[in-house]
Amino acid sequence: MAYRHISKSTLCTYVIAATISSLLLAGCSDSNDNDNEQPASIVPMPMMEGPIPGDASLPGPFFPDQGYEKAEYFISGTAYSYTNVNELTPSGEWQVQEAEAAEYTTRIVVFRPTAKIDFNKTVVVEWLNVSAGADLGNDWMLAHTELMRSGYTWVGVSAQSRGVSALKTSNETRYAPLDHPGDSFSYSMFSQVAQLLRSKDDTGPLGSLDAETFLAAGESQSATRILTYVNALALIDRMFEGYLIHSRYYSSAPLSQTPQAEIIAPDIVRVRPDFEVPVMMFQTESDVVALESYLSRQPDSDYFRLWETAGTAHADYYITITTNSDTGTDPQVAAVFESKLFCDKPINMGPQHWLTNAAFAALNRWAVSGELPAKAERLTLEGSPVRLARDAYGIALGGIRTSYVNAPMATLSGEGNSSESFGFCNRLFGTTKLFDAQTLAALYGDNSTYVSKVNVATDEAVALGFLLEKDAVLIKAYAAQSDVFGDQPE
Protein backbone atom coordinates (compact mmCIF):
# COMPACT_ATOMS: atom_id res chain seq x y z
CA MET A 1 0.00 0.00 0.00
CA ALA A 2 1.24 3.46 -0.89
CA TYR A 3 1.52 6.64 1.11
CA ARG A 4 -1.64 8.69 1.27
CA HIS A 5 -3.20 11.68 2.97
CA ILE A 6 -6.82 11.80 4.05
CA SER A 7 -8.68 13.86 1.47
CA LYS A 8 -10.29 17.13 2.44
CA SER A 9 -13.77 15.70 1.81
CA THR A 10 -13.04 12.65 3.97
CA LEU A 11 -11.66 14.87 6.71
CA CYS A 12 -14.86 16.95 6.66
CA THR A 13 -16.89 13.76 6.98
CA TYR A 14 -14.79 12.74 10.00
CA VAL A 15 -15.24 16.12 11.68
CA ILE A 16 -19.02 16.07 11.14
CA ALA A 17 -19.19 12.51 12.51
CA ALA A 18 -17.08 13.47 15.51
CA THR A 19 -19.32 16.48 16.17
CA ILE A 20 -22.49 14.41 16.03
CA SER A 21 -20.91 11.73 18.25
CA SER A 22 -19.85 14.27 20.86
CA LEU A 23 -23.26 15.95 20.89
CA LEU A 24 -25.01 12.62 21.28
CA LEU A 25 -22.73 11.64 24.12
CA ALA A 26 -23.38 14.95 25.84
CA GLY A 27 -27.13 14.50 25.46
CA CYS A 28 -27.08 10.92 26.73
CA SER A 29 -25.18 11.64 29.92
CA ASP A 30 -27.04 10.76 33.11
CA SER A 31 -24.78 12.82 35.34
CA ASN A 32 -25.83 16.37 34.45
CA ASP A 33 -26.61 17.07 38.09
CA ASN A 34 -22.95 16.70 38.98
CA ASP A 35 -21.38 20.10 39.59
CA ASN A 36 -17.99 18.82 38.40
CA GLU A 37 -19.22 17.54 35.03
CA GLN A 38 -18.06 19.36 31.93
CA PRO A 39 -19.74 19.18 28.53
CA ALA A 40 -18.31 16.71 26.02
CA SER A 41 -15.64 18.24 23.81
CA ILE A 42 -15.31 17.85 20.07
CA VAL A 43 -12.01 16.03 19.62
CA PRO A 44 -10.34 17.15 16.37
CA MET A 45 -9.80 14.54 13.67
CA PRO A 46 -6.09 14.37 12.73
CA MET A 47 -4.57 13.63 9.34
CA MET A 48 -2.96 10.26 8.60
CA GLU A 49 -0.08 9.20 6.36
CA GLY A 50 0.75 5.56 5.74
CA PRO A 51 1.22 2.76 6.15
CA ILE A 52 4.86 3.83 6.08
CA PRO A 53 7.01 1.42 4.01
CA GLY A 54 9.63 -0.58 5.90
CA ASP A 55 9.67 -1.78 9.48
CA ALA A 56 8.57 0.39 12.37
CA SER A 57 11.05 1.05 15.14
CA LEU A 58 9.63 -0.57 18.27
CA PRO A 59 11.44 -3.17 20.41
CA GLY A 60 9.48 -6.15 21.65
CA PRO A 61 7.72 -9.26 20.38
CA PHE A 62 5.87 -9.60 17.12
CA PHE A 63 5.10 -12.92 15.42
CA PRO A 64 3.66 -12.50 11.91
CA ASP A 65 3.02 -16.23 11.63
CA GLN A 66 0.47 -15.86 14.45
CA GLY A 67 -2.05 -14.26 12.09
CA TYR A 68 -1.15 -10.63 12.75
CA GLU A 69 0.11 -7.80 10.57
CA LYS A 70 2.11 -4.75 11.57
CA ALA A 71 1.84 -1.22 10.22
CA GLU A 72 3.10 2.23 11.11
CA TYR A 73 1.33 5.54 10.44
CA PHE A 74 2.23 9.19 10.86
CA ILE A 75 -0.49 11.25 12.52
CA SER A 76 -0.67 15.06 12.20
CA GLY A 77 -2.92 17.76 13.56
CA THR A 78 -3.30 20.64 15.96
CA ALA A 79 -3.08 19.64 19.62
CA TYR A 80 -3.84 21.62 22.74
CA SER A 81 -2.25 22.07 26.12
CA TYR A 82 -4.50 22.53 29.13
CA THR A 83 -4.81 24.65 32.21
CA ASN A 84 -6.82 23.86 35.31
CA VAL A 85 -10.11 25.62 36.04
CA ASN A 86 -10.38 24.33 39.59
CA GLU A 87 -7.78 23.14 42.08
CA LEU A 88 -6.12 19.82 41.23
CA THR A 89 -7.20 17.92 44.33
CA PRO A 90 -6.28 14.36 45.37
CA SER A 91 -9.84 13.21 44.55
CA GLY A 92 -9.12 13.70 40.83
CA GLU A 93 -12.28 15.72 40.14
CA TRP A 94 -10.42 18.16 37.94
CA GLN A 95 -11.81 20.69 35.48
CA VAL A 96 -9.58 21.87 32.66
CA GLN A 97 -9.72 24.08 29.61
CA GLU A 98 -7.61 24.46 26.50
CA ALA A 99 -4.62 26.78 26.81
CA GLU A 100 -2.24 26.82 23.83
CA ALA A 101 -2.40 25.20 20.39
CA ALA A 102 0.49 23.60 18.50
CA GLU A 103 0.98 21.61 15.31
CA TYR A 104 2.31 18.07 15.68
CA THR A 105 3.25 14.98 13.72
CA THR A 106 3.72 11.76 15.64
CA ARG A 107 3.48 8.06 14.83
CA ILE A 108 1.44 5.05 15.83
CA VAL A 109 2.25 1.35 15.43
CA VAL A 110 -0.66 -1.01 14.78
CA PHE A 111 -0.70 -4.77 15.34
CA ARG A 112 -3.98 -6.12 13.96
CA PRO A 113 -5.41 -9.52 13.03
CA THR A 114 -4.87 -10.31 9.37
CA ALA A 115 -8.26 -12.00 9.08
CA LYS A 116 -11.30 -9.92 9.98
CA ILE A 117 -13.01 -12.97 11.46
CA ASP A 118 -10.25 -13.26 14.10
CA PHE A 119 -10.81 -9.72 15.45
CA ASN A 120 -12.66 -9.58 18.78
CA LYS A 121 -13.76 -5.97 18.10
CA THR A 122 -11.60 -4.50 20.89
CA VAL A 123 -8.68 -2.15 20.34
CA VAL A 124 -6.05 -1.61 23.05
CA VAL A 125 -4.46 1.82 22.68
CA GLU A 126 -1.22 1.93 24.66
CA TRP A 127 0.57 5.12 25.67
CA LEU A 128 4.14 4.07 24.85
CA ASN A 129 6.58 4.27 27.74
CA VAL A 130 9.69 6.46 27.41
CA SER A 131 11.45 5.85 30.74
CA ALA A 132 14.33 4.08 28.97
CA GLY A 133 14.79 6.98 26.55
CA ALA A 134 12.81 5.49 23.66
CA ASP A 135 9.34 4.10 22.98
CA LEU A 136 8.46 0.78 24.61
CA GLY A 137 5.10 -0.97 24.61
CA ASN A 138 5.38 -2.44 28.09
CA ASP A 139 1.80 -3.70 28.31
CA TRP A 140 2.15 -5.27 24.87
CA MET A 141 5.34 -6.99 26.00
CA LEU A 142 3.66 -8.34 29.13
CA ALA A 143 0.29 -9.31 27.64
CA HIS A 144 0.89 -9.97 23.94
CA THR A 145 0.09 -13.68 24.27
CA GLU A 146 -3.44 -12.95 25.51
CA LEU A 147 -3.98 -10.04 23.14
CA MET A 148 -3.02 -12.11 20.09
CA ARG A 149 -4.76 -15.37 20.96
CA SER A 150 -7.97 -13.49 21.79
CA GLY A 151 -7.96 -11.33 18.67
CA TYR A 152 -7.35 -7.82 19.98
CA THR A 153 -5.92 -5.05 17.87
CA TRP A 154 -3.12 -3.20 19.64
CA VAL A 155 -2.04 0.37 18.85
CA GLY A 156 1.09 1.93 20.33
CA VAL A 157 1.07 5.73 20.44
CA SER A 158 4.22 7.84 20.50
CA ALA A 159 2.53 10.38 22.73
CA GLN A 160 5.61 11.97 24.31
CA SER A 161 8.41 14.09 22.94
CA ARG A 162 11.19 11.88 24.31
CA GLY A 163 9.98 8.94 22.25
CA VAL A 164 9.69 11.03 19.09
CA SER A 165 13.17 12.51 19.61
CA ALA A 166 14.63 9.03 19.97
CA LEU A 167 12.94 7.92 16.74
CA LYS A 168 14.37 10.87 14.84
CA THR A 169 17.83 10.15 16.23
CA SER A 170 17.68 6.44 15.43
CA ASN A 171 16.45 6.86 11.85
CA GLU A 172 16.75 10.45 10.70
CA THR A 173 15.42 9.74 7.21
CA ARG A 174 12.40 7.64 8.10
CA TYR A 175 11.25 9.83 10.96
CA ALA A 176 12.17 13.25 9.57
CA PRO A 177 8.47 14.30 9.29
CA LEU A 178 7.85 13.79 13.02
CA ASP A 179 7.50 16.94 15.10
CA HIS A 180 6.44 16.90 18.74
CA PRO A 181 5.57 20.25 20.40
CA GLY A 182 6.12 19.00 23.96
CA ASP A 183 4.43 16.80 26.55
CA SER A 184 1.90 19.45 27.56
CA PHE A 185 0.18 18.55 24.27
CA SER A 186 0.41 14.78 24.73
CA TYR A 187 -3.08 14.33 26.22
CA SER A 188 -4.75 16.07 23.31
CA MET A 189 -2.65 14.04 20.85
CA PHE A 190 -3.72 10.80 22.54
CA SER A 191 -7.41 11.73 22.22
CA GLN A 192 -6.96 12.65 18.58
CA VAL A 193 -5.36 9.30 17.78
CA ALA A 194 -8.36 7.62 19.41
CA GLN A 195 -10.70 9.78 17.35
CA LEU A 196 -8.99 8.59 14.18
CA LEU A 197 -9.15 4.96 15.29
CA ARG A 198 -12.86 5.29 16.04
CA SER A 199 -13.63 6.46 12.51
CA LYS A 200 -15.32 3.91 10.25
CA ASP A 201 -13.16 4.58 7.19
CA ASP A 202 -11.81 1.30 5.76
CA THR A 203 -8.65 3.13 4.70
CA GLY A 204 -7.83 4.15 8.28
CA PRO A 205 -5.35 2.46 10.64
CA LEU A 206 -7.76 -0.39 11.44
CA GLY A 207 -8.54 -1.17 7.81
CA SER A 208 -11.81 -3.05 7.45
CA LEU A 209 -11.88 -4.17 11.08
CA ASP A 210 -15.12 -3.17 12.75
CA ALA A 211 -14.06 -2.03 16.21
CA GLU A 212 -16.59 -1.50 18.98
CA THR A 213 -14.56 -1.19 22.18
CA PHE A 214 -11.47 0.92 22.84
CA LEU A 215 -9.29 0.43 25.92
CA ALA A 216 -6.56 2.88 26.93
CA ALA A 217 -3.50 1.44 28.67
CA GLY A 218 -0.23 2.62 30.08
CA GLU A 219 2.44 1.06 32.30
CA SER A 220 4.82 2.73 34.76
CA GLN A 221 5.61 6.26 33.59
CA SER A 222 2.82 5.94 31.04
CA ALA A 223 0.41 4.90 33.81
CA THR A 224 0.90 8.30 35.41
CA ARG A 225 0.00 9.96 32.10
CA ILE A 226 -3.13 7.81 31.74
CA LEU A 227 -4.13 8.67 35.32
CA THR A 228 -3.85 12.40 34.59
CA TYR A 229 -5.70 11.84 31.31
CA VAL A 230 -8.58 10.11 33.15
CA ASN A 231 -8.92 12.87 35.72
CA ALA A 232 -8.49 15.79 33.32
CA LEU A 233 -9.79 14.77 29.89
CA ALA A 234 -11.56 11.41 29.82
CA LEU A 235 -14.83 12.81 31.14
CA ILE A 236 -15.02 15.40 28.36
CA ASP A 237 -13.28 13.69 25.44
CA ARG A 238 -14.96 10.29 25.99
CA MET A 239 -12.75 8.31 23.64
CA PHE A 240 -12.43 5.02 25.55
CA GLU A 241 -14.69 2.39 27.09
CA GLY A 242 -12.11 1.31 29.66
CA TYR A 243 -8.70 2.12 31.13
CA LEU A 244 -5.79 0.05 32.45
CA ILE A 245 -3.53 2.06 34.77
CA HIS A 246 -0.61 -0.29 35.34
CA SER A 247 2.14 0.29 37.91
CA ARG A 248 1.50 3.90 38.84
CA TYR A 249 3.25 5.67 41.71
CA TYR A 250 1.57 7.76 44.42
CA SER A 251 0.94 10.86 42.27
CA SER A 252 0.37 11.35 38.55
CA ALA A 253 1.98 13.20 35.64
CA PRO A 254 1.83 17.00 35.29
CA LEU A 255 -1.14 18.45 33.47
CA SER A 256 1.22 20.94 31.84
CA GLN A 257 4.97 21.41 31.93
CA THR A 258 7.87 23.49 30.64
CA PRO A 259 7.97 25.34 28.27
CA GLN A 260 4.26 25.80 28.98
CA ALA A 261 3.10 26.77 32.46
CA GLU A 262 3.95 24.06 34.98
CA ILE A 263 0.80 22.53 36.47
CA ILE A 264 1.83 19.73 38.81
CA ALA A 265 -0.47 17.08 40.23
CA PRO A 266 -0.79 16.87 44.02
CA ASP A 267 1.29 14.36 45.97
CA ILE A 268 -1.65 11.99 46.29
CA VAL A 269 -3.89 11.33 43.28
CA ARG A 270 -6.85 8.97 43.01
CA VAL A 271 -9.19 8.20 40.11
CA ARG A 272 -12.07 10.66 40.16
CA PRO A 273 -15.14 9.04 41.76
CA ASP A 274 -17.64 10.61 39.33
CA PHE A 275 -16.14 8.88 36.28
CA GLU A 276 -18.58 6.17 35.21
CA VAL A 277 -16.26 4.26 32.87
CA PRO A 278 -14.36 1.11 33.93
CA VAL A 279 -10.88 1.78 35.35
CA MET A 280 -8.60 -1.12 36.27
CA MET A 281 -5.52 -0.29 38.34
CA PHE A 282 -2.85 -3.02 38.46
CA GLN A 283 0.02 -2.77 40.97
CA THR A 284 3.06 -4.92 41.67
CA GLU A 285 4.82 -5.24 45.03
CA SER A 286 7.39 -2.68 43.90
CA ASP A 287 4.71 -0.12 43.11
CA VAL A 288 2.91 -0.38 46.43
CA VAL A 289 5.80 0.49 48.76
CA ALA A 290 8.93 1.38 46.77
CA LEU A 291 6.90 3.72 44.54
CA GLU A 292 4.49 4.49 47.41
CA SER A 293 1.24 3.89 45.55
CA TYR A 294 -0.28 2.77 48.86
CA LEU A 295 -0.63 6.48 49.66
CA SER A 296 -3.21 6.80 46.88
CA ARG A 297 -5.19 3.62 47.50
CA GLN A 298 -8.94 3.91 47.05
CA PRO A 299 -11.88 1.55 47.55
CA ASP A 300 -13.28 -0.56 44.73
CA SER A 301 -16.53 0.62 43.17
CA ASP A 302 -18.82 -0.14 40.24
CA TYR A 303 -16.30 1.65 38.02
CA PHE A 304 -12.96 1.06 39.76
CA ARG A 305 -10.89 -1.99 40.61
CA LEU A 306 -7.46 -2.12 42.28
CA TRP A 307 -5.43 -5.30 41.87
CA GLU A 308 -2.28 -5.54 44.02
CA THR A 309 -0.28 -8.64 43.15
CA ALA A 310 1.98 -10.71 45.39
CA GLY A 311 5.34 -12.02 44.18
CA THR A 312 5.65 -9.44 41.40
CA ALA A 313 8.06 -6.64 40.54
CA HIS A 314 7.67 -3.46 38.52
CA ALA A 315 10.10 -4.93 35.98
CA ASP A 316 11.16 -8.56 35.78
CA TYR A 317 12.81 -11.33 33.78
CA TYR A 318 9.78 -11.81 31.56
CA ILE A 319 9.56 -8.25 30.24
CA THR A 320 13.35 -8.11 29.87
CA ILE A 321 14.06 -11.45 28.21
CA THR A 322 11.22 -13.97 27.84
CA THR A 323 8.75 -11.68 26.08
CA ASN A 324 10.70 -11.68 22.83
CA SER A 325 10.21 -15.42 22.26
CA ASP A 326 6.98 -16.22 24.10
CA THR A 327 4.18 -17.28 21.75
CA GLY A 328 1.95 -18.40 24.60
CA THR A 329 2.31 -22.15 24.15
CA ASP A 330 5.51 -23.12 25.99
CA PRO A 331 5.21 -24.33 29.61
CA GLN A 332 8.89 -23.40 30.12
CA VAL A 333 7.74 -19.79 30.50
CA ALA A 334 6.51 -20.81 33.97
CA ALA A 335 10.04 -21.68 35.12
CA VAL A 336 11.52 -19.94 38.14
CA PHE A 337 15.31 -19.68 38.31
CA GLU A 338 17.98 -17.20 39.34
CA SER A 339 19.37 -14.72 36.80
CA LYS A 340 21.10 -11.50 37.80
CA LEU A 341 21.31 -9.95 34.32
CA PHE A 342 22.46 -6.37 35.05
CA CYS A 343 21.56 -6.31 38.77
CA ASP A 344 23.53 -7.39 41.85
CA LYS A 345 20.97 -10.06 42.80
CA PRO A 346 18.80 -12.40 40.69
CA ILE A 347 15.86 -10.39 39.38
CA ASN A 348 12.18 -11.18 39.87
CA MET A 349 10.77 -14.21 37.99
CA GLY A 350 7.21 -13.62 39.17
CA PRO A 351 3.80 -13.95 37.49
CA GLN A 352 3.18 -10.34 36.46
CA HIS A 353 2.68 -11.33 32.79
CA TRP A 354 0.07 -13.97 33.64
CA LEU A 355 -1.82 -11.51 35.85
CA THR A 356 -1.64 -8.74 33.23
CA ASN A 357 -3.29 -11.13 30.77
CA ALA A 358 -6.11 -11.65 33.26
CA ALA A 359 -6.41 -7.90 33.89
CA PHE A 360 -6.88 -7.16 30.19
CA ALA A 361 -9.45 -9.95 29.85
CA ALA A 362 -11.36 -8.73 32.90
CA LEU A 363 -11.29 -5.10 31.75
CA ASN A 364 -12.54 -6.06 28.31
CA ARG A 365 -15.45 -8.09 29.71
CA TRP A 366 -16.26 -5.19 32.01
CA ALA A 367 -16.26 -2.67 29.14
CA VAL A 368 -18.19 -4.90 26.74
CA SER A 369 -20.78 -6.58 28.95
CA GLY A 370 -20.63 -4.79 32.29
CA GLU A 371 -19.34 -7.89 34.11
CA LEU A 372 -17.49 -6.58 37.14
CA PRO A 373 -13.95 -7.95 37.72
CA ALA A 374 -13.18 -9.77 40.92
CA LYS A 375 -12.33 -7.66 43.95
CA ALA A 376 -8.83 -8.28 45.23
CA GLU A 377 -7.41 -8.18 48.73
CA ARG A 378 -4.78 -5.46 49.17
CA LEU A 379 -1.19 -6.36 49.95
CA THR A 380 -0.64 -6.28 53.70
CA LEU A 381 1.36 -3.37 55.10
CA GLU A 382 2.97 -2.96 58.49
CA GLY A 383 5.39 -0.85 60.50
CA SER A 384 6.80 2.63 60.38
CA PRO A 385 8.23 3.36 57.92
CA VAL A 386 5.62 1.39 56.01
CA ARG A 387 6.73 -1.93 54.53
CA LEU A 388 5.15 -5.03 53.07
CA ALA A 389 4.31 -7.67 55.65
CA ARG A 390 5.99 -10.99 54.79
CA ASP A 391 5.78 -14.56 56.03
CA ALA A 392 8.64 -16.64 57.41
CA TYR A 393 9.85 -17.33 53.86
CA GLY A 394 9.95 -13.65 52.89
CA ILE A 395 6.81 -13.86 50.74
CA ALA A 396 4.42 -10.91 50.78
CA LEU A 397 1.11 -11.35 52.57
CA GLY A 398 -2.22 -10.40 51.05
CA GLY A 399 -2.78 -9.28 47.48
CA ILE A 400 -3.66 -11.48 44.54
CA ARG A 401 -2.21 -14.96 45.09
CA THR A 402 -0.96 -17.52 42.58
CA SER A 403 1.02 -20.74 42.88
CA TYR A 404 4.17 -18.59 42.72
CA VAL A 405 3.46 -17.48 46.30
CA ASN A 406 1.03 -20.13 47.61
CA ALA A 407 3.05 -23.11 46.39
CA PRO A 408 6.45 -21.43 46.05
CA MET A 409 9.84 -22.79 45.14
CA ALA A 410 11.51 -19.41 45.74
CA THR A 411 11.07 -16.12 47.52
CA LEU A 412 9.81 -13.73 44.85
CA SER A 413 9.90 -10.09 45.87
CA GLY A 414 9.35 -6.71 44.28
CA GLU A 415 12.09 -5.27 46.47
CA GLY A 416 15.67 -5.73 47.59
CA ASN A 417 17.86 -5.48 44.49
CA SER A 418 20.65 -3.06 43.72
CA SER A 419 23.27 -2.15 41.14
CA GLU A 420 26.03 0.41 40.99
CA SER A 421 25.80 0.61 37.20
CA PHE A 422 22.02 0.31 36.60
CA GLY A 423 19.94 2.49 38.89
CA PHE A 424 16.59 0.92 37.96
CA CYS A 425 17.54 -2.29 39.82
CA ASN A 426 17.12 -0.66 43.19
CA ARG A 427 13.37 -0.01 43.11
CA LEU A 428 12.05 -1.79 40.04
CA PHE A 429 13.49 -5.24 39.30
CA GLY A 430 12.86 -7.10 42.55
CA THR A 431 14.54 -10.37 43.48
CA THR A 432 14.33 -14.15 43.22
CA LYS A 433 15.91 -16.44 45.82
CA LEU A 434 15.42 -20.17 45.27
CA PHE A 435 14.66 -22.29 48.32
CA ASP A 436 17.29 -24.77 49.40
CA ALA A 437 16.57 -28.49 49.66
CA GLN A 438 15.84 -28.29 53.37
CA THR A 439 13.18 -25.62 52.87
CA LEU A 440 11.57 -27.52 49.99
CA ALA A 441 11.48 -30.68 52.09
CA ALA A 442 9.81 -28.84 54.94
CA LEU A 443 7.20 -27.36 52.61
CA TYR A 444 6.36 -30.38 50.47
CA GLY A 445 8.13 -33.57 51.50
CA ASP A 446 7.96 -35.01 48.00
CA ASN A 447 7.50 -33.84 44.42
CA SER A 448 3.95 -35.11 44.00
CA THR A 449 2.84 -32.99 46.95
CA TYR A 450 4.49 -29.96 45.36
CA VAL A 451 2.70 -30.57 42.03
CA SER A 452 -0.62 -31.04 43.82
CA LYS A 453 -0.24 -27.75 45.69
CA VAL A 454 0.67 -25.91 42.47
CA ASN A 455 -2.47 -27.29 40.83
CA VAL A 456 -4.70 -26.31 43.76
CA ALA A 457 -3.29 -22.77 43.96
CA THR A 458 -3.51 -22.32 40.20
CA ASP A 459 -7.10 -23.54 39.99
CA GLU A 460 -8.05 -21.25 42.85
CA ALA A 461 -6.58 -18.22 41.04
CA VAL A 462 -8.56 -19.15 37.92
CA ALA A 463 -11.77 -19.59 39.90
CA LEU A 464 -11.33 -16.17 41.49
CA GLY A 465 -10.79 -14.51 38.10
CA PHE A 466 -7.14 -13.57 38.57
CA LEU A 467 -5.64 -16.09 36.14
CA LEU A 468 -6.77 -17.24 32.70
CA GLU A 469 -7.38 -20.93 32.07
CA LYS A 470 -5.03 -21.03 29.05
CA ASP A 471 -2.20 -19.71 31.21
CA ALA A 472 -3.10 -22.05 34.07
CA VAL A 473 -2.64 -24.99 31.70
CA LEU A 474 0.96 -23.92 31.06
CA ILE A 475 1.74 -23.40 34.74
CA LYS A 476 0.38 -26.84 35.65
CA ALA A 477 2.11 -28.50 32.69
CA TYR A 478 5.47 -27.13 33.79
CA ALA A 479 4.91 -28.28 37.37
CA ALA A 480 3.88 -31.75 36.17
CA GLN A 481 7.19 -32.32 34.40
CA SER A 482 9.37 -30.74 37.09
CA ASP A 483 11.19 -32.19 40.07
CA VAL A 484 11.82 -29.55 42.71
CA PHE A 485 14.06 -31.99 44.57
CA GLY A 486 16.21 -32.67 41.50
CA ASP A 487 16.86 -31.24 38.08
CA GLN A 488 14.31 -28.91 36.51
CA PRO A 489 13.12 -29.59 32.95
CA GLU A 490 15.22 -28.13 30.17
Side-chain angles (χ1 to χ4, degrees):
M1 297 179 68
Y3 283 69
R4 72 171 190 88
H5 288 281
I6 293 177
S7 67
K8 188 173 183 179
S9 61
T10 301
L11 179 61
C12 289
T13 301
Y14 283 175
V15 171
I16 291 170
T19 303
I20 294 172
S21 175
S22 294
L23 290 174
L24 287 173
L25 283 169
C28 291
S29 173
D30 60 1
S31 303
N32 290 329
D33 57 345
N34 190 324
D35 292 339
N36 286 320
E37 177 150 354
Q38 303 171 76
S41 66
I42 300 174
V43 176
M45 181 68 68
M47 303 285 284
M48 183 190 82
E49 181 179 335
I52 309 300
D55 193 26
S57 175
L58 185 67
F62 182 71
F63 309 105
D65 60 348
Q66 298 280 306
Y68 269 68
E69 58 188 3
K70 178 181 182 181
E72 183 177 44
Y73 300 87
F74 293 166
I75 310 298
S76 302
T78 301
Y80 299 91
S81 63
Y82 297 90
T83 187
N84 55 308
V85 175
N86 65 350
E87 180 185 358
L88 300 188
T89 60
S91 70
E93 296 169 281
W94 303 346
Q95 295 181 35
V96 302
Q97 64 185 19
E98 293 174 358
E100 300 180 29
E103 302 300 309
Y104 73 90
T105 300
T106 191
R107 67 85 183 252
I108 62 174
V109 179
V110 181
F111 299 158
R112 62 194 181 199
T114 304
K116 186 175 181 179
I117 194 173
D118 294 332
F119 179 44
N120 72 351
K121 299 186 181 298
T122 296
V123 180
V124 173
V125 186
E126 181 169 354
W127 188 304
L128 294 177
N129 183 289
V130 296
S131 295
D135 283 338
L136 290 173
N138 290 353
D139 272 321
W140 170 258
M141 289 193 285
L142 286 165
H144 67 276
T145 57
E146 164 60 12
L147 298 180
M148 294 180 76
R149 72 192 176 198
S150 293
Y152 294 80
T153 288
W154 176 88
V155 179
V157 182
S158 294
Q160 290 183 252
S161 59
R162 192 177 187 185
V164 169
S165 295
L167 289 170
K168 293 171 72 71
T169 300
S170 67
N171 191 329
E172 184 177 358
T173 301
R174 181 181 181 86
Y175 294 112
L178 301 189
D179 183 19
H180 198 296
D183 286 354
S184 298
F185 300 90
S186 60
Y187 306 108
S188 177
M189 291 165 58
F190 195 68
S191 280
Q192 290 185 32
V193 167
Q195 184 73 284
L196 177 64
L197 294 170
R198 296 185 77 96
S199 70
K200 298 300 184 180
D201 188 342
D202 286 354
T203 60
L206 303 185
S208 63
L209 300 181
D210 185 17
E212 296 179 355
T213 303
F214 292 81
L215 306 177
E219 192 271 349
S220 187
Q221 179 264 340
S222 297
T224 70
R225 310 297 296 194
I226 294 292
L227 179 54
T228 292
Y229 180 91
V230 165
N231 287 337
L233 282 189
L235 194 62
I236 55 175
D237 282 0
R238 307 183 187 189
M239 288 289 103
F240 300 96
E241 283 71 44
Y243 296 82
L244 178 65
I245 299 173
H246 185 169
S247 286
R248 54 78 60 96
Y249 65 96
Y250 56 91
S251 185
S252 71
L255 176 65
S256 178
Q257 57 203 89
T258 306
Q260 283 68 46
E262 288 196 354
I263 304 175
I264 307 301
D267 287 343
I268 293 174
V269 176
R270 302 181 181 93
V271 174
R272 58 187 306 153
D274 59 347
F275 185 49
E276 297 183 350
V277 175
V279 177
M280 172 79 76
M281 189 172 290
F282 181 108
Q283 300 295 95
T284 68
E285 285 188 22
S286 313
D287 309 321
V288 173
V289 173
L291 300 185
E292 299 183 296
S293 72
Y294 76 90
L295 294 170
S296 294
R297 280 174 167 173
Q298 66 188 92
D300 292 331
S301 72
D302 288 345
Y303 297 99
F304 177 80
R305 283 291 187 271
L306 172 58
W307 283 11
E308 294 181 351
T309 55
T312 58
H314 187 95
D316 54 24
Y317 189 88
Y318 184 92
I319 199 172
T320 309
I321 303 295
T322 311
T323 182
N324 293 305
S325 59
D326 183 18
T327 61
T329 59
D330 186 2
Q332 181 65 30
V333 173
V336 174
F337 52 87
E338 294 184 351
S339 175
K340 293 182 180 181
L341 292 181
F342 33 68
C343 297
D344 293 335
K345 300 176 182 178
I347 67 174
N348 184 277
M349 294 286 300
Q352 181 182 187
H353 54 289
W354 307 121
L355 298 172
T356 305
N357 285 349
F360 268 114
L363 177 60
N364 188 51
R365 288 193 302 270
W366 195 5
V368 171
S369 69
E371 179 184 342
L372 289 170
K375 290 186 177 182
E377 180 184 351
R378 307 299 190 245
L379 288 166
T380 304
L381 304 178
E382 64 180 12
S384 181
V386 171
R387 60 185 180 271
L388 290 171
R390 298 186 179 276
D391 66 15
Y393 300 100
I395 295 171
L397 301 176
I400 291 176
R401 318 292 292 179
T402 64
S403 62
Y404 286 74
V405 293
N406 281 358
M409 61 178 298
T411 299
L412 296 168
S413 173
E415 304 173 311
N417 221 317
S418 62
S419 173
E420 292 185 4
S421 59
F422 191 66
F424 285 137
C425 289
N426 183 34
R427 294 198 299 168
L428 304 185
F429 275 84
T431 54
T432 296
K433 183 174 177 55
L434 292 173
F435 293 154
D436 57 26
Q438 182 178 359
T439 302
L440 291 170
L443 282 169
Y444 306 113
D446 55 59
N447 197 69
S448 63
T449 300
Y450 166 74
V451 173
S452 176
K453 288 189 175 183
V454 168
N455 291 342
V456 169
T458 300
D459 289 341
E460 182 176 356
V462 172
L464 291 171
F466 300 131
L467 188 66
L468 300 180
E469 180 61 40
K470 289 183 178 179
D471 295 330
V473 168
L474 298 177
I475 293 170
K476 291 193 288 186
Y478 182 80
Q481 61 178 319
S482 67
D483 180 2
V484 299
F485 297 96
D487 295 332
Q488 295 300 305
E490 295 296 330

